[in-house]
Amino acid sequence: MRTHLIKPHELDRQALARWRDLQARNDALASPYFSPEFTLAVAAVRDDVYVTLLEDDDRRIAGFFPFQRRWGAGSPAGGRLSDHHGVIAAPGTRWDWNQLLRGSGLGYWQFDHLAAYQRPPGQWAHSVSHAMDLAGGYAAWREAKVKARSETVLRVERKMRKLEREVGPLRFVANTDDLGVLQTVIRLKLDKCRRTGAIEYFEWPWTRELVARIQAIDEPGFGGRLSALYAGDTLIAAHFGMRSERVWHTWFSVYEPDWASWSPGNMLMLRMAEAAAASGHRVMDFGKGDEAYKLALGNGGLPLVEGCLTRASAATGLRAARKGTGKLLRASGMMQPLRSVVQMLGGGRVL
């Protein structure tokens, strides 16, 4: 397998078509993060984004590896904002990770949401991206949750009815172009990060630019999704995320603190799931993390691995060690088999 390093803007129409074709053929890559539009959007607001092409013996593109690079240190395209990453290739494609790093000009590559089936040789920490299986529609998902004696759905539905009686009708907008809603998402997300000590993503100018760019995209295979939930005339919860053809990925979900007792975030998630299923999405992906709503509403998941892959070189190994990124991570069992998401997305083979 040969490698060829380029900048994203060098991807021509034929290469982009090939990228989309490879993504469509691999159910494990259905997330919008694997779409070329996401990499191109990141590259438009950052100057350190690259794509390594994997080419077979006939010089045909067999895979794409998008990433960020600074002085030989690699991270996923989008950095900490990337909830899924890896090589975009058809099922069964094989590559040498050391060769890929060398061809990408990387001494090492840090990853924390790598599709588990792509894990390099060695031991890595495992996690899962929780998701709602909407392949049978929203009603089927709800029925399964009720049968499993999940109290969350029924409790949130009761609160929704009570809120309508006491405050006003609930109004949900699946995708709005209201910039005021987007600014509310940014404001409330920043407030929460400051309260909890989490990374303040929206303090980075490029993050705001990236979100604005993605919001403006609405192509058949990729688009931003800015959703809003109102009680009467009052905005009580909002969300910004992305969708591909089959997956709606949640990203930045917020609610007004004064309304917290009503569980507006869960109300919003239920309405989003209805909209996602109605528009043909088979999965609503919550991303990594064990937040209560993910565990309560999710019924499937995509296995991930995280760690740092270092090129087979003493020099780069020492450099990685100095930066504290070369530590070997202990493995734990996968929380959900990869098969669960593959079945949600259509039952195709991953490998």
Side-chain angles (χ1 to χ4, degrees):
M1 191 78 70
R2 297 182 177 90
T3 61
H4 180 53
L5 182 64
I6 64 171
K7 293 289 286 183
H9 71 265
E10 297 178 75
L11 292 162
D12 58 21
R13 184 176 301 178
Q14 184 177 3
L16 290 172
R18 177 64 171 163
W19 184 320
R20 295 186 182 101
D21 176 62
L22 292 174
Q23 183 189 13
R25 289 162 57 188
N26 194 335
D27 291 325
L29 304 179
S31 168
Y33 285 98
F34 292 115
S35 301
E37 288 84 0
F38 178 72
T39 295
L40 291 170
V42 176
V45 299
R46 296 184 60 98
D47 63 2
D48 59 352
V49 181
Y50 298 84
V51 176
T52 299
L53 309 182
L54 295 169
E55 299 175 339
D56 59 25
D57 293 338
D58 296 325
R59 295 287 184 178
R60 179 175 171 80
I61 298 176
F64 298 83
F65 176 55
F67 63 95
Q68 292 175 191
R69 185 182 71 189
R70 276 282 190 265
W71 305 293
S75 59
R80 292 177 179 270
L81 298 181
S82 175
D83 284 352
H84 289 285
H85 37 258
V87 174
I88 293 85
T93 304
R94 297 286 186 267
W95 59 87
D96 180 282
W97 279 104
N98 195 58
Q99 178 188 8
L100 181 56
L101 292 185
R102 184 170 59 251
S104 303
L106 296 176
Y108 59 91
W109 181 59
Q110 291 179 273
F111 55 90
D112 53 7
H113 294 76
L114 177 64
Y117 84 94
Q118 294 190 10
R119 61 187 180 276
Q123 291 186 318
W124 311 100
H126 292 263
S127 58
V128 67
S129 186
H130 297 285
M132 293 174 66
D133 179 358
L134 300 172
Y138 179 81
W141 169 84
R142 183 188 179 282
E143 181 180 2
K145 277 294 179 182
V146 172
K147 284 184 177 179
R149 298 186 177 181
S150 171
E151 293 294 327
T152 301
V153 175
L154 296 177
R155 183 171 61 250
V156 172
E157 289 176 344
R158 286 195 297 270
K159 287 187 175 183
M160 293 169 81
R161 291 191 293 269
K162 183 179 180 182
L163 185 61
E164 290 193 305
R165 290 194 305 270
E166 297 184 6
V167 179
L170 285 175
R171 179 169 63 92
F172 170 71
V173 183
N175 188 33
T176 178
D177 58 3
D178 186 339
L179 292 180
V181 174
L182 184 59
Q183 291 306 311
T184 296
V185 170
I186 293 172
R187 172 178 59 82
L188 291 177
K189 193 66 178 178
L190 271 173
D191 289 347
K192 182 178 180 180
C193 289
R194 288 164 181 161
R195 288 196 311 271
T196 61
I199 296 172
E200 298 175 16
Y201 298 106
F202 284 112
E203 287 289 1
W204 308 336
W206 71 267
T207 299
R208 295 172 182 252
E209 294 177 38
L210 176 63
V211 166
R213 282 182 174 274
I214 292 175
Q215 186 202 8
I217 301 174
D218 195 16
E219 300 294 335
F222 181 90
R225 279 296 178 268
L226 179 61
S227 304
L229 181 66
Y230 299 84
D233 295 326
T234 303
L235 178 67
I236 62 173
H239 165 268
F240 181 79
M242 300 182 293
R243 57 103 190 137
S244 61
E245 183 178 354
R246 292 178 287 171
V247 177
W248 187 328
H249 189 95
T250 66
W251 208 1
F252 302 109
S253 182
V254 299
Y255 59 84
E256 291 287 357
D258 292 345
W259 296 82
S261 63
W262 292 96
S263 303
N266 282 337
M267 292 181 185
L268 177 62
M269 287 297 157
L270 292 186
R271 288 293 176 88
M272 284 170 53
E274 285 187 273
S279 58
H281 293 89
R282 302 176 70 88
V283 171
M284 194 159 89
D285 189 348
F286 294 134
K288 190 171 71 170
D290 291 333
E291 290 90 336
Y293 78 92
K294 296 181 182 181
L295 300 178
L297 302 180
N299 60 342
L302 180 65
L304 307 171
V305 292
E306 54 188 271
C308 178
L309 181 65
T310 305
R311 204 167 85 206
S313 155
T316 56
L318 287 172
R319 181 179 179 185
R322 285 198 302 270
K323 289 181 175 286
T325 58
K327 184 172 72 172
L328 186 64
L329 296 171
R330 292 177 297 173
S332 61
M334 291 184 185
M335 296 177 66
Q336 291 283 352
L338 181 61
R339 187 176 297 110
S340 65
V341 166
V342 171
Q343 288 172 344
M344 293 183 209
L345 296 169
R349 290 195 320 124
V350 177
L351 287 174

Short mmCIF file of all heavy atoms in Angstrom, two decimals, residues 287-334:
data_model
loop_
_atom_site.label_atom_id
_atom_site.label_comp_id
_atom_site.label_asym_id
_atom_site.label_seq_id
_atom_site.Cartn_x
_atom_site.Cartn_y
_atom_site.Cartn_z
N GLY A 287 -22.35 9.93 21.33
CA GLY A 287 -20.93 10.10 21.59
C GLY A 287 -20.49 9.41 22.87
O GLY A 287 -21.28 8.79 23.59
N LYS A 288 -19.21 9.52 23.15
CA LYS A 288 -18.61 8.85 24.31
C LYS A 288 -18.99 9.56 25.59
O LYS A 288 -19.22 10.76 25.61
CB LYS A 288 -17.08 8.84 24.13
CG LYS A 288 -16.34 7.98 25.14
CD LYS A 288 -14.87 7.85 24.76
CE LYS A 288 -14.12 9.14 24.98
NZ LYS A 288 -12.65 8.96 24.84
N GLY A 289 -19.02 8.80 26.69
CA GLY A 289 -19.33 9.38 27.99
C GLY A 289 -20.49 8.67 28.64
O GLY A 289 -21.36 8.11 27.95
N ASP A 290 -20.53 8.67 29.96
CA ASP A 290 -21.56 7.95 30.69
C ASP A 290 -22.55 8.89 31.36
O ASP A 290 -23.04 8.64 32.47
CB ASP A 290 -20.91 7.05 31.75
CG ASP A 290 -20.15 5.90 31.11
OD1 ASP A 290 -20.51 5.51 29.98
OD2 ASP A 290 -19.18 5.40 31.73
N GLU A 291 -22.88 9.99 30.70
CA GLU A 291 -23.91 10.89 31.22
C GLU A 291 -25.22 10.12 31.36
O GLU A 291 -25.52 9.20 30.60
CB GLU A 291 -24.11 12.08 30.29
CG GLU A 291 -22.94 13.06 30.28
CD GLU A 291 -21.90 12.72 29.23
OE1 GLU A 291 -21.82 11.54 28.84
OE2 GLU A 291 -21.17 13.64 28.81
N ALA A 292 -26.04 10.51 32.32
CA ALA A 292 -27.26 9.77 32.65
C ALA A 292 -28.18 9.60 31.45
O ALA A 292 -28.75 8.53 31.23
CB ALA A 292 -27.98 10.46 33.81
N TYR A 293 -28.36 10.66 30.67
CA TYR A 293 -29.30 10.57 29.55
C TYR A 293 -28.83 9.59 28.49
O TYR A 293 -29.64 8.92 27.83
CB TYR A 293 -29.57 11.95 28.95
CG TYR A 293 -28.49 12.48 28.03
CD1 TYR A 293 -28.54 12.25 26.66
CD2 TYR A 293 -27.43 13.23 28.53
CE1 TYR A 293 -27.55 12.76 25.82
CE2 TYR A 293 -26.44 13.73 27.70
CZ TYR A 293 -26.51 13.48 26.35
OH TYR A 293 -25.53 13.97 25.51
N LYS A 294 -27.52 9.48 28.30
CA LYS A 294 -27.00 8.53 27.32
C LYS A 294 -27.29 7.10 27.73
O LYS A 294 -27.64 6.25 26.89
CB LYS A 294 -25.49 8.74 27.13
CG LYS A 294 -25.11 10.09 26.57
CD LYS A 294 -23.60 10.22 26.38
CE LYS A 294 -23.22 11.60 25.85
NZ LYS A 294 -21.76 11.74 25.64
N LEU A 295 -27.12 6.81 29.01
CA LEU A 295 -27.38 5.47 29.51
C LEU A 295 -28.87 5.17 29.53
O LEU A 295 -29.29 4.04 29.26
CB LEU A 295 -26.79 5.31 30.91
CG LEU A 295 -25.27 5.53 31.02
CD1 LEU A 295 -24.83 5.40 32.47
CD2 LEU A 295 -24.51 4.53 30.15
N ALA A 296 -29.68 6.19 29.83
CA ALA A 296 -31.13 5.98 29.93
C ALA A 296 -31.79 5.82 28.57
O ALA A 296 -32.70 5.01 28.40
CB ALA A 296 -31.77 7.14 30.70
N LEU A 297 -31.35 6.60 27.59
CA LEU A 297 -32.00 6.59 26.28
C LEU A 297 -31.31 5.68 25.26
O LEU A 297 -31.94 5.22 24.31
CB LEU A 297 -32.05 8.02 25.72
CG LEU A 297 -32.78 9.06 26.58
CD1 LEU A 297 -32.74 10.42 25.89
CD2 LEU A 297 -34.21 8.64 26.86
N GLY A 298 -30.04 5.42 25.45
CA GLY A 298 -29.32 4.59 24.50
C GLY A 298 -29.69 3.13 24.59
O GLY A 298 -30.06 2.62 25.65
N ASN A 299 -29.61 2.44 23.47
CA ASN A 299 -29.83 0.99 23.45
C ASN A 299 -28.89 0.31 22.46
O ASN A 299 -29.18 -0.75 21.91
CB ASN A 299 -31.28 0.65 23.12
CG ASN A 299 -31.72 1.16 21.75
OD1 ASN A 299 -31.08 2.05 21.18
ND2 ASN A 299 -32.80 0.61 21.23
N GLY A 300 -27.74 0.92 22.23
CA GLY A 300 -26.73 0.36 21.35
C GLY A 300 -25.47 1.19 21.48
O GLY A 300 -25.43 2.15 22.26
N GLY A 301 -24.45 0.84 20.75
CA GLY A 301 -23.23 1.63 20.84
C GLY A 301 -22.16 1.17 19.88
O GLY A 301 -22.18 0.03 19.40
N LEU A 302 -21.26 2.07 19.60
CA LEU A 302 -20.13 1.78 18.72
C LEU A 302 -18.85 1.73 19.54
O LEU A 302 -18.48 2.72 20.18
CB LEU A 302 -20.00 2.86 17.64
CG LEU A 302 -18.84 2.67 16.66
CD1 LEU A 302 -19.05 1.42 15.82
CD2 LEU A 302 -18.68 3.89 15.76
N PRO A 303 -18.15 0.60 19.57
CA PRO A 303 -16.91 0.49 20.35
C PRO A 303 -15.81 1.39 19.81
O PRO A 303 -15.62 1.54 18.60
CB PRO A 303 -16.52 -0.99 20.19
CG PRO A 303 -17.79 -1.68 19.82
CD PRO A 303 -18.54 -0.69 18.98
N LEU A 304 -15.07 2.00 20.74
CA LEU A 304 -13.97 2.90 20.41
C LEU A 304 -12.72 2.47 21.17
O LEU A 304 -12.82 1.77 22.18
CB LEU A 304 -14.32 4.34 20.80
CG LEU A 304 -15.62 4.93 20.27
CD1 LEU A 304 -15.90 6.27 20.95
CD2 LEU A 304 -15.56 5.09 18.75
N VAL A 305 -11.57 2.90 20.69
CA VAL A 305 -10.33 2.72 21.44
C VAL A 305 -9.61 4.06 21.50
O VAL A 305 -9.82 4.93 20.66
CB VAL A 305 -9.40 1.65 20.81
CG1 VAL A 305 -10.00 0.27 20.96
CG2 VAL A 305 -9.10 1.95 19.35
N GLU A 306 -8.76 4.21 22.52
CA GLU A 306 -8.04 5.46 22.69
C GLU A 306 -6.61 5.18 23.14
O GLU A 306 -6.34 4.19 23.81
CB GLU A 306 -8.74 6.35 23.70
CG GLU A 306 -9.02 5.70 25.04
CD GLU A 306 -9.88 6.57 25.93
OE1 GLU A 306 -9.29 7.39 26.66
OE2 GLU A 306 -11.11 6.42 25.89
N GLY A 307 -5.71 6.05 22.74
CA GLY A 307 -4.31 5.90 23.12
C GLY A 307 -3.42 6.77 22.25
O GLY A 307 -3.85 7.78 21.70
N CYS A 308 -2.19 6.37 22.11
CA CYS A 308 -1.23 7.09 21.29
C CYS A 308 -0.39 6.09 20.53
O CYS A 308 0.25 5.23 21.13
CB CYS A 308 -0.35 7.99 22.16
SG CYS A 308 0.89 8.88 21.21
N LEU A 309 -0.41 6.19 19.22
CA LEU A 309 0.36 5.30 18.37
C LEU A 309 1.66 6.00 17.99
O LEU A 309 1.65 7.09 17.42
CB LEU A 309 -0.44 4.96 17.11
CG LEU A 309 0.22 4.00 16.13
CD1 LEU A 309 0.41 2.62 16.75
CD2 LEU A 309 -0.63 3.88 14.85
N THR A 310 2.78 5.38 18.33
CA THR A 310 4.09 5.97 18.07
C THR A 310 4.79 5.21 16.95
O THR A 310 4.78 3.99 16.91
CB THR A 310 4.97 5.91 19.34
OG1 THR A 310 4.28 6.54 20.41
CG2 THR A 310 6.29 6.61 19.11
N ARG A 311 5.39 5.95 16.03
CA ARG A 311 6.12 5.32 14.94
C ARG A 311 7.31 4.54 15.49
O ARG A 311 7.93 4.95 16.47
CB ARG A 311 6.59 6.38 13.94
CG ARG A 311 6.82 5.81 12.54
CD ARG A 311 6.96 6.92 11.55
NE ARG A 311 8.32 7.43 11.46
CZ ARG A 311 8.64 8.65 11.07
NH1 ARG A 311 7.70 9.51 10.75
NH2 ARG A 311 9.88 9.04 11.00
N ALA A 312 7.63 3.45 14.86
CA ALA A 312 8.72 2.59 15.31
C ALA A 312 10.06 3.29 15.09
O ALA A 312 10.75 3.08 14.09
CB ALA A 312 8.69 1.26 14.56
N SER A 313 10.42 4.16 16.03
CA SER A 313 11.66 4.92 15.95
C SER A 313 12.03 5.36 17.35
O SER A 313 11.20 5.86 18.09
CB SER A 313 11.48 6.14 15.03
OG SER A 313 12.39 7.15 15.35
N ALA A 314 13.28 5.17 17.72
CA ALA A 314 13.70 5.56 19.07
C ALA A 314 13.51 7.05 19.31
O ALA A 314 13.07 7.48 20.38
CB ALA A 314 15.18 5.20 19.27
N ALA A 315 13.81 7.86 18.29
CA ALA A 315 13.72 9.31 18.46
C ALA A 315 12.29 9.74 18.72
O ALA A 315 12.01 10.50 19.65
CB ALA A 315 14.27 10.02 17.22
N THR A 316 11.36 9.25 17.90
CA THR A 316 9.97 9.65 18.11
C THR A 316 9.42 9.05 19.38
O THR A 316 8.57 9.63 20.04
CB THR A 316 9.09 9.23 16.90
OG1 THR A 316 9.22 7.81 16.71
CG2 THR A 316 9.50 9.93 15.65
N GLY A 317 9.90 7.87 19.75
CA GLY A 317 9.44 7.26 20.99
C GLY A 317 9.83 8.10 22.19
O GLY A 317 9.04 8.32 23.10
N LEU A 318 11.06 8.60 22.21
CA LEU A 318 11.50 9.45 23.31
C LEU A 318 10.72 10.76 23.33
O LEU A 318 10.36 11.27 24.38
CB LEU A 318 13.00 9.74 23.17
CG LEU A 318 13.92 8.55 23.49
CD1 LEU A 318 15.36 8.91 23.12
CD2 LEU A 318 13.83 8.17 24.96
N ARG A 319 10.45 11.29 22.14
CA ARG A 319 9.72 12.54 22.07
C ARG A 319 8.31 12.37 22.63
O ARG A 319 7.82 13.19 23.40
CB ARG A 319 9.65 13.00 20.62
CG ARG A 319 8.91 14.33 20.45
CD ARG A 319 8.92 14.72 19.00
NE ARG A 319 8.21 15.97 18.81
CZ ARG A 319 7.97 16.51 17.63
NH1 ARG A 319 8.41 15.91 16.54
NH2 ARG A 319 7.33 17.65 17.52
N ALA A 320 7.68 11.26 22.26
CA ALA A 320 6.34 11.00 22.76
C ALA A 320 6.35 10.82 24.27
O ALA A 320 5.46 11.30 24.98
CB ALA A 320 5.76 9.75 22.09
N ALA A 321 7.37 10.14 24.77
CA ALA A 321 7.46 9.92 26.21
C ALA A 321 7.60 11.24 26.95
O ALA A 321 7.01 11.45 28.01
CB ALA A 321 8.65 9.01 26.52
N ARG A 322 8.42 12.15 26.38
CA ARG A 322 8.60 13.44 27.03
C ARG A 322 7.29 14.21 27.12
O ARG A 322 7.05 14.95 28.05
CB ARG A 322 9.64 14.26 26.27
CG ARG A 322 11.08 13.81 26.49
CD ARG A 322 12.03 14.92 26.08
NE ARG A 322 11.86 15.31 24.69
CZ ARG A 322 12.51 14.75 23.68
NH1 ARG A 322 13.36 13.75 23.89
NH2 ARG A 322 12.33 15.16 22.45
N LYS A 323 6.45 14.06 26.12
CA LYS A 323 5.18 14.77 26.10
C LYS A 323 4.11 14.04 26.90
O LYS A 323 2.99 14.51 27.02
CB LYS A 323 4.70 14.98 24.66
CG LYS A 323 5.53 16.00 23.90
CD LYS A 323 4.99 16.16 22.49
CE LYS A 323 5.74 17.28 21.77
NZ LYS A 323 5.34 18.60 22.28
N GLY A 324 4.47 12.88 27.42
CA GLY A 324 3.51 12.14 28.23
C GLY A 324 2.44 11.45 27.42
O GLY A 324 1.38 11.10 27.95
N THR A 325 2.67 11.23 26.13
CA THR A 325 1.64 10.62 25.30
C THR A 325 2.00 9.22 24.88
O THR A 325 1.22 8.59 24.18
CB THR A 325 1.42 11.46 24.02
OG1 THR A 325 2.68 11.55 23.34
CG2 THR A 325 0.93 12.84 24.37
N GLY A 326 3.15 8.71 25.32
CA GLY A 326 3.55 7.38 24.90
C GLY A 326 3.19 6.30 25.89
O GLY A 326 3.63 5.16 25.73
N LYS A 327 2.42 6.65 26.91
CA LYS A 327 2.08 5.66 27.93
C LYS A 327 1.16 4.58 27.38
O LYS A 327 0.18 4.89 26.70
CB LYS A 327 1.41 6.35 29.11
CG LYS A 327 1.11 5.41 30.27
CD LYS A 327 0.62 6.18 31.48
CE LYS A 327 -0.78 6.69 31.28
NZ LYS A 327 -1.33 7.27 32.50
N LEU A 328 1.46 3.35 27.69
CA LEU A 328 0.63 2.24 27.25
C LEU A 328 -0.63 2.17 28.10
O LEU A 328 -0.56 2.22 29.33
CB LEU A 328 1.39 0.92 27.37
CG LEU A 328 0.70 -0.33 26.81
CD1 LEU A 328 0.55 -0.18 25.30
CD2 LEU A 328 1.52 -1.56 27.14
N LEU A 329 -1.78 2.10 27.46
CA LEU A 329 -3.03 2.09 28.19
C LEU A 329 -3.55 0.67 28.34
O LEU A 329 -3.48 -0.13 27.41
CB LEU A 329 -4.07 2.94 27.42
CG LEU A 329 -3.71 4.41 27.31
CD1 LEU A 329 -4.68 5.10 26.37
CD2 LEU A 329 -3.74 5.07 28.67
N ARG A 330 -4.06 0.39 29.52
CA ARG A 330 -4.60 -0.94 29.76
C ARG A 330 -5.94 -1.10 29.06
O ARG A 330 -6.72 -0.17 28.97
CB ARG A 330 -4.80 -1.17 31.27
CG ARG A 330 -3.50 -1.23 32.04
CD ARG A 330 -3.76 -1.38 33.51
NE ARG A 330 -4.47 -0.21 34.02
CZ ARG A 330 -4.95 -0.13 35.25
NH1 ARG A 330 -4.83 -1.12 36.08
NH2 ARG A 330 -5.57 0.97 35.65
N ALA A 331 -6.18 -2.31 28.58
CA ALA A 331 -7.41 -2.57 27.85
C ALA A 331 -8.49 -3.07 28.80
O ALA A 331 -8.21 -3.72 29.79
CB ALA A 331 -7.16 -3.61 26.76
N SER A 332 -9.72 -2.75 28.46
CA SER A 332 -10.86 -3.32 29.16
C SER A 332 -11.82 -3.83 28.12
O SER A 332 -11.72 -3.49 26.95
CB SER A 332 -11.54 -2.26 30.03
OG SER A 332 -12.00 -1.20 29.24
N GLY A 333 -12.80 -4.64 28.50
CA GLY A 333 -13.70 -5.24 27.53
C GLY A 333 -14.57 -4.22 26.86
O GLY A 333 -14.94 -3.20 27.44
N MET A 334 -14.96 -4.47 25.61
CA MET A 334 -15.85 -3.58 24.89
C MET A 334 -17.24 -3.63 25.51
O MET A 334 -17.75 -4.69 25.84
CB MET A 334 -15.95 -4.01 23.42
CG MET A 334 -14.67 -3.79 22.64
SD MET A 334 -14.90 -4.20 20.91
CE MET A 334 -13.24 -3.98 20.32
#
